[in-house]
Amino acid sequence: MELDDLLKRPERWASVLGWATLAGLEFGLIGPFGSYASHLFTRIAYWTLLFWLGSVLLWPCVVAALALGPRRGLPPLFSGVTVILIACVPLAMLGAIGTHLFWPVRAAGMRTLEWYGLTVVVALPAMAGLLWIELGRTRLLAAWRGRTMAGGAPPAEARAPAPELPDHLLANALCLQMEDHHVRIHLHGRSVLHHGVLRDIVEALDDRRGLQVHRSWWVARDAVRGWQRDGRSVGLILVNGLRVPVARNRVALLREHGWLDEALQAA
């Protein structure tokens, strides 16, 4: 999984906001920092909304820091913590506004540094836990040690080796599809989910057997029945009827290998 996937894939955002909702419910039930004296549903609404806003604000900043920090020679840990400390300034302001709306008496007795300090106390462990869950323990530890290139994979010694794809499945595979930490092998009439990394599997395959046509897809040459163009998008039509998207930066390669012959273009 690449760092870009944490921001570009809707299911990742759904997961992030889901964890934010659970955190909001927990804080609403506990009622920390003096909020316990208010009504239960008021607490839950306040903390859930605050965790949602924090996720939308902090999550892209942290992911960007992990991706861009190493490019500028900065340790990922330093980049991540720094960007959280900076992003907590507007988040503390939002928390102060919410507290003034829900608990004006409580808000009147707090100072500016208190808002910021409490925000940092919650944001740092929350982001660390979220990264641990979404990025993965092994990948996160590698990033903290400064061994992960921006947007790339951790080195081999930091990544647990994936089980090899069974030969009988690979021999009959029409295409391979990446699904989180698994690879789905599409066969005639069925598919099989296999734990592994698509990139590692594709590196061991001969280009004459097939090509990786998209970051999430590898297709066997014999499985291609034709192709379609929809605006600027190109898709391969396989013998089982499956339509596989082609990344724009792979179109030229497919043309070079004869995959996009005009005679094969479907209406």
Side-chain angles (χ1 to χ4, degrees):
M1 178 182 62
E2 298 183 356
L3 289 176
D4 287 346
D5 292 337
L6 298 176
L7 297 179
K8 294 181 179 179
R9 298 177 65 178
E11 61 268 28
R12 290 298 177 190
W13 273 108
S15 178
V16 169
L17 293 178
W19 287 112
T21 302
L22 289 177
L25 291 174
E26 180 181 1
F27 271 60
L29 293 173
I30 297 174
F33 310 127
S35 63
Y36 188 79
S38 62
H39 192 275
L40 173 63
F41 292 105
T42 301
R43 300 197 309 265
I44 291 177
Y46 169 82
W47 285 110
T48 301
L49 179 60
L50 193 59
F51 271 98
W52 283 350
L53 293 173
S55 299
V56 172
L57 179 61
L58 294 178
W59 184 242
C61 294
V62 173
V63 174
L66 288 179
L68 299 178
R71 296 179 184 176
R72 300 185 180 276
L74 299 174
L77 179 59
F78 173 82
S79 303
V81 172
T82 300
V83 78
I84 290 176
L85 294 177
I86 296 174
C88 277
V89 174
L91 183 58
M93 295 174 61
L94 293 174
I97 293 173
T99 305
H100 276 283
L101 293 175
F102 286 95
W103 308 290
V105 176
R106 168 66 176 166
M110 294 184 65
R111 299 179 179 179
T112 303
L113 287 180
E114 288 185 79
W115 294 113
Y116 181 74
L118 293 177
T119 303
V120 171
V121 166
V122 175
L124 280 175
M127 284 296 103
L130 190 56
L131 280 170
W132 192 274
I133 295 171
E134 294 298 321
L135 194 56
R137 176 180 178 274
T138 302
R139 180 75 177 277
L140 183 58
L141 289 176
W144 276 177
R145 293 165 184 161
R147 297 184 301 180
T148 304
M149 295 302 294
E157 66 270 17
R159 185 174 65 238
E164 294 183 359
L165 192 66
D167 291 338
H168 71 281
L169 291 179
L170 186 58
N172 295 288
L174 302 178
C175 62
L176 306 177
Q177 179 185 7
M178 180 178 69
E179 293 187 7
D180 291 332
H181 302 293
H182 294 76
V183 175
R184 183 171 295 279
I185 305 101
H186 291 272
L187 307 165
H188 287 280
R190 65 189 181 100
S191 66
V192 178
L193 198 61
H194 173 78
H195 177 68
V197 180
L198 179 63
R199 177 178 55 253
D200 295 342
I201 296 174
V202 170
E203 287 178 353
L205 298 176
D206 193 322
D207 287 348
R208 292 173 295 181
R209 171 77 172 87
L211 293 173
Q212 185 167 1
V213 301
H214 188 277
R215 181 172 57 188
S216 302
W217 291 87
W218 174 91
V219 176
R221 180 65 182 91
D222 295 340
V224 180
R225 185 182 64 187
W227 62 282
Q228 289 181 334
R229 182 184 297 277
D230 183 9
R232 299 177 61 184
S233 301
V234 174
L236 297 176
I237 309 301
L238 306 190
V239 293
N240 62 346
L242 189 65
R243 187 182 189 278
V244 176
V246 176
R248 292 179 182 176
N249 62 351
R250 306 294 290 180
V251 172
L253 177 65
L254 295 188
R255 289 192 184 280
E256 180 182 338
H257 283 76
W259 288 40
L260 301 182
D261 192 296
E262 296 299 329
L264 297 176
Q265 184 173 10

